């Protein structure tokens, strides 16, 4: 428990609306999107960078640990307090100002507490958008702290690529505000400090404001479902599509038959698009899009996609077994339902991996072959982003499986998957979910000693106070 | 002078071919592309990362200052030794291995000593390229150390966006080799350390190897010269072009009439493309391109560009005074000759500035209006990258101008330009040339104290030894 005088002092700094201490009010901030249920000493909700600075400064001076929390949609226990009841939550959700669109510069200056959907809603009239496409609806600060990627990474990159500037509060005694809020695209005048606060889960400072690059919103798209001739041929298909389409190609997503079947079974609004209702073993969602309006005399994108697929189909070693161009909203609805569907199959044990693009299918084949020998009755329901190397490697176990009562079971499973993914296939154990308590142990194991020493040094010179859920 | 025993020891580490000490051999390494003529104690040319590590370690242990040098094409005195004769040059030019193309991953692992032209030459057959388009032909290590941008930034971004991994030698006693050589696109497992070595001119470590993202090479393009209705209308024209063309637009370059006229006068191979030979006050080069081959039934890109320009032309408040689609190679030849042309006009005093996109033309208008009151007989011959906010703000003074003998003249001029650009217009004093001795003073002035303290801390934990030409 935290002393009452600290609560009083923090109320003075954050205001009545800015500090929550009642259990009922705090519950939502203590509960994670997938795994967690912790206990917060308090939830501080500053409405300005200055308030955030004052709160952080007070906490550092009084050795009170803070966990920054943005939309709390993360999946690695990076934004909720532990069970001690001694950590305070620093919520960004009132930090929604400013909102300054610079139309000519194609940039926006926004509060880190703004939700992605609110940002894009407010941008709609301008014809611009922030091009990170996610299943969840996080707030901007958390997107920056985890460097989210998503389904259109292939075209637009990750958050890192689209951040021009940041305002950051450091966890030092002064609650120093670092103004890195440039709105320039080309600026090489020293260390690009903002990079240290992107993807590092709030360990080095709390992002309160950002300047984001915006892109012209797509005005046309065409989407197809592709069935590869074999798992081996997925890489060939990707290269063939990129050769023919270049940067038209805005998504190349992989979906295992198991994940697709789970979605079709559990999300009743979906229509089964496959011939005879038979779900193939592996399916690709390919999207092409343009930011330009349809123009008279221009081939519609559906026709472009069909023509490209036909040409690939006619190759002697055609990497395609089947393909059809369909309604984008229907196909994307299937893609977006995979996560929900898989959850209904049983207890989900999820991994967010990435590989060199050519290594994804070999990794999946290896796991399919080896799983029964290592762990019986574990179903692989993977899906992900073949175009950028990301795989949501989901494992499902029946909810009544007695092994779930044994904490070693999940630990052993995680151990095996990470070992194969990282050590054997040179992959990443966290592609786009970043780091939280959930993967701290693997971060410790796979970070070379020298980089851990550098991170400790960096922590000392930026935010020596206790901040966040993890240590690099 | 450096002691003979050090030279002997370094020869042992770098081999006979790896260490130059003769004045004639060292001259090219002591002379900068534009400004410098220093004196080197020696030039060490390691052929492997291990050799580089051994040399750096020896120098740190013996307090011998090293200046990393890549292609030596930089313009801010960032890669040549000072006049003391006590600094050694660490040249990357033998570090050209490895060269491992991963076609499926669209990436290449390459030695930092490889030239940009060699890289793209070796990639040609694959249909991929490294999408940084520059006038100079640097080596990769220097491109990374300066985070070069160039003329296609609008489409492909800067070097930072296209680096997947790095191998870096730190200037500590061990000459520690940091292996950050990931070839993954999505990888959020901690601090993205490679960012610290991009754009920081080698102050924190020497890049010896890199993994680069590659893009499908363009297969079609169309290029136009546009004359804006007025300087005020350039931003309107840019937005109109982006609205109509989205990411087709791969370049939107600004060229002052002064720079164009200088190129036409001094580069005889150029043809004057303007009606009656009259060069307008300001011209835009706009390029659209596609990575896809021409397809039957598809409108050729020239026609697309003409149609878009016609639609803009027909607007009531048309921001265009004149426009014509021409031969790409002819138009780009003009653009690439600007730098050469301007140099022939007299003594060049060059600035590499950037602004919010909407502030470029107001800045140029301000300088045109104010220059005569501040400095007589100084001609502004600017050109640059309107699409990303970059301006090569070139000032030309007659070669026999007596003020050139007075060192205060250039200093005063620089002082005034930087003050207006940075303090009045919120711009950057180094857009894409990064930092070297030439702009150290402005780096010191415009870097807030807190960031200087952080940089000093970072230097201590990475490369405490004397490395490079600058201090952040």
């Amino acid at each position: 428990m935290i002393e009452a005088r600290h609560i009083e002092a923090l109320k003075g700094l954050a205001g009545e609306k800015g500090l929550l201490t009642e259990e009922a009010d705090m519950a939502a901030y203590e509960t994670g999107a997938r795994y967690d249920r912790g206990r917060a000493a308090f939830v501080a909700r500053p409405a300005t960078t200055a308030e955030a600075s004052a709160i952080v400064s007070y906490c550092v001076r009084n050795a009170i640990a803070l966990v920054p929390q943005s939309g709390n949609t993360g999946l690695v226990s990076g934004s909720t307090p532990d069970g001690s009841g001694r950590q305070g939550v620093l919520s960004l959700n009132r930090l929604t100002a400013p909102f300054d669109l610079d139309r000519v510069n194609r940039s926006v200056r926004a509060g880190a507490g703004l939700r992605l959907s609110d940002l894009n809603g407010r941008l709609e009239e301008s014809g611009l958008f922030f091009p990170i496409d996610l299943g969840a609806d996080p707030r901007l600060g958390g997107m920056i702290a985890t460097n989210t990627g998503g389904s259109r990474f292939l075209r637009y990159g990750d958050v890192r690529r689209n951040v021009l500037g940041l305002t950051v509060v450091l966890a030092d005694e002064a609650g120093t505000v670092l103004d890195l809020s440039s709105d320039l695209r080309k600026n090489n005048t020293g260390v690009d400090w903002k990079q240290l606060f992107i993807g590092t889960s709030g360990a080095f400072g709390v992002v309160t404001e950002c300047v984001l690059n915006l892109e012209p919103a797509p005005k046309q798209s065409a989407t197809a479902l592709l069935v590869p001739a074999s798992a081996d041929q997925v890489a060939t298909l990707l290269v063939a599509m990129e050769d023919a389409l270049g940067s038209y190609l805005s998504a190349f997503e992989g979906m295992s038959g198991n994940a697709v079947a789970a979605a079709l079974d559990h999300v009743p609004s979906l229509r089964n698009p496959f011939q005879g209702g038979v779900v193939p073993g592996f399916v690709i969602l390919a999207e092409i899009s343009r930011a330009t309006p349809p123009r008279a005399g221009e081939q519609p994108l559906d026709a472009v996609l069909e023509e490209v697929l036909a040409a690939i189909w006619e190759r002697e070693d055609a990497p395609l077994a089947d393909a059809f161009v369909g309604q984008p909203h229907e196909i994307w609805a299937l893609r977006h339902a995979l996560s929900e569907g898989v959850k209904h199959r049983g207890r989900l044990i999820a991994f967010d991996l990435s590989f060199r693009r050519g290594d994804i299918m070999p990794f999946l084949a290896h796991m399919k072959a080896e799983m029964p020998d290592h762990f019986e009755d574990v179903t692989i329901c993977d899906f992900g982003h073949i175009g950028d190397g990301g795989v949501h490697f989901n494992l499902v176990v029946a909810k009544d499986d007695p092994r779930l009562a044994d904490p070693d079971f999940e630990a052993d499973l995680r151990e095996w998957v990470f070992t194969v993914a990282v050590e054997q296939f040179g992959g990443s154990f966290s592609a786009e979910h970043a780091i939280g308590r959930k993967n701290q142990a693997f971060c410790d194991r796979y970070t070379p000693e020298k980089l851990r020493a550098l991170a400790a040094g960096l922590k000392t010179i930026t935010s020596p106070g206790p901040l966040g859920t993890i240590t690099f």
Side-chain angles (χ1 to χ4, degrees), chain A:
Chain A
M1 277 296 295
I2 189 170
E3 292 170 47
R5 68 183 174 102
H6 291 320
I7 298 293
E8 283 315 302
L10 288 166
K11 260 188 197 148
L13 297 172
E16 281 291 334
K17 273 171 65 183
L19 200 81
L20 310 178
T21 53
E22 297 296 323
E23 188 45 47
D25 296 337
M26 296 198 297
Y29 299 86
E30 294 169 324
T31 312
R34 186 174 284 167
Y35 296 107
D36 311 289
R37 183 77 182 87
R39 278 182 60 223
F42 58 85
V43 176
R45 302 162 68 233
T48 64
T49 296
E51 282 181 10
S53 163
I55 292 164
V56 170
S57 166
Y58 184 88
C59 289
V60 171
R61 284 181 284 117
N62 291 280
I64 301 168
L66 282 176
V67 175
Q69 182 178 104
S70 179
N72 197 17
T73 59
L75 300 174
V76 293
S77 307
S79 58
T80 45
D82 62 22
S84 69
R86 286 196 299 269
Q87 296 182 316
V89 169
L90 182 72
S91 167
L92 304 183
N93 65 8
R94 292 174 70 219
L95 274 161
T96 52
F99 184 88
D100 296 329
L101 171 64
D102 183 335
R103 184 62 185 82
V104 172
N105 201 46
R106 267 206 284 107
S107 67
V108 67
R109 186 175 292 266
L114 201 65
R115 278 211 189 271
L116 176 60
S117 59
D118 289 336
L119 172 67
N120 280 329
R122 292 172 77 167
L123 289 172
E124 203 168 332
E125 219 172 290
S126 70
L128 302 176
F129 82 133
F130 184 57
I132 307 296
D133 180 67
L134 302 174
D137 188 18
R139 297 177 194 268
L140 301 178
M143 293 178 72
I144 292 162
T146 53
N147 188 27
T148 54
S151 293
R152 265 85 176 202
F153 182 107
L154 188 59
R155 167 79 65 84
Y156 302 106
D158 52 11
V159 166
R160 190 183 298 283
R161 185 197 288 185
N162 291 285
V163 169
L164 300 180
L166 293 180
T167 304
V168 181
V169 176
L170 300 183
D172 58 12
E173 296 215 337
T176 299
V177 176
L178 276 194
D179 179 359
L180 311 168
S181 69
S182 169
D183 36 20
L184 305 176
R185 284 189 164 68
K186 274 184 173 168
N187 183 22
N188 285 293
T189 53
V191 182
D192 190 359
W193 289 106
K194 68 176 181 284
Q195 304 294 346
L196 296 178
F197 305 99
I198 301 175
T200 46
S201 306
F204 301 106
V206 183
V207 172
T208 57
E209 204 179 301
C210 54
V211 185
L212 304 175
N213 171 58
L214 303 173
E215 292 289 327
K219 297 199 185 71
Q220 304 178 64
S221 72
T223 312
L225 285 174
L226 318 179
V227 182
S230 70
D232 292 352
Q233 298 272 53
V234 170
T236 313
L237 184 56
L238 172 59
V239 171
M241 297 283 283
E242 285 191 341
D243 278 353
L245 290 159
S247 63
Y248 280 171
L249 193 65
S250 45
F252 192 89
E253 302 274 287
M255 310 190 277
S256 67
N258 284 345
V260 170
L264 291 173
D265 283 354
H266 296 287
V267 182
S269 60
L270 296 175
R271 194 179 66 80
N272 186 324
F274 301 100
Q275 223 163 20
V278 182
V279 176
F282 199 81
V283 190
I284 304 285
L285 179 162
E287 179 194 75
I288 64 175
S289 61
R290 283 182 186 157
T292 54
R295 182 176 293 122
E298 191 187 62
Q299 219 181 4
L301 281 194
D302 274 3
V304 172
L305 188 50
E306 269 163 16
E307 203 177 292
V308 165
L309 291 171
I312 293 173
W313 180 261
E314 280 159 20
R315 283 165 52 159
E316 205 169 312
D317 58 344
L320 268 178
D322 197 3
F324 55 94
V325 175
Q327 291 296 325
H329 65 95
E330 269 196 20
I331 296 178
W332 277 103
L334 176 61
R335 169 68 185 80
H336 288 312
L338 298 180
S339 185
E340 181 64 18
V342 165
K343 265 187 267 180
H344 279 88
R345 276 292 199 244
R347 168 66 192 278
L348 175 64
I349 300 170
F351 300 82
D352 167 43
L353 308 175
S354 84
F355 301 92
R356 283 175 293 269
R357 307 199 304 180
D359 285 345
I360 298 176
M361 300 311 293
F363 168 78
L364 292 174
H366 178 90
M367 295 311 264
K368 250 176 247 176
E370 297 284 321
M371 183 67 79
D373 288 345
H374 286 78
F375 297 90
E376 283 180 0
D377 300 323
V378 174
T379 312
I380 303 176
C381 295
D382 61 283
F383 56 90
H385 319 287
I386 308 269
D388 58 53
V391 184
H392 298 293
F393 187 71
N394 298 301
L395 303 181
V396 177
V397 180
K399 280 201 170 123
D400 57 0
D401 190 310
R403 293 174 297 179
L404 290 174
D406 173 9
D408 283 349
F409 171 68
E410 184 179 331
D412 291 348
L413 192 53
R414 287 196 177 270
E415 176 72 27
W416 179 60
V417 172
F418 280 140
T419 304
V420 176
V422 177
E423 297 178 22
Q424 199 167 332
F425 283 85
S428 168
F429 64 91
S430 189
E432 56 181 351
H433 294 171
I435 302 286
R437 281 190 304 272
K438 201 79 189 168
N439 41 20
Q440 173 79 63
F442 297 97
C443 184
D444 292 347
R445 182 187 308 171
Y446 292 121
T447 306
E449 197 183 340
K450 177 69 187 177
L451 295 186
R452 297 188 63 189
L454 284 178
L458 186 63
K459 175 76 181 156
T460 305
I461 63 175
T462 55
S463 284
L467 190 69
T469 62
I470 52 133
T471 312
F472 287 111

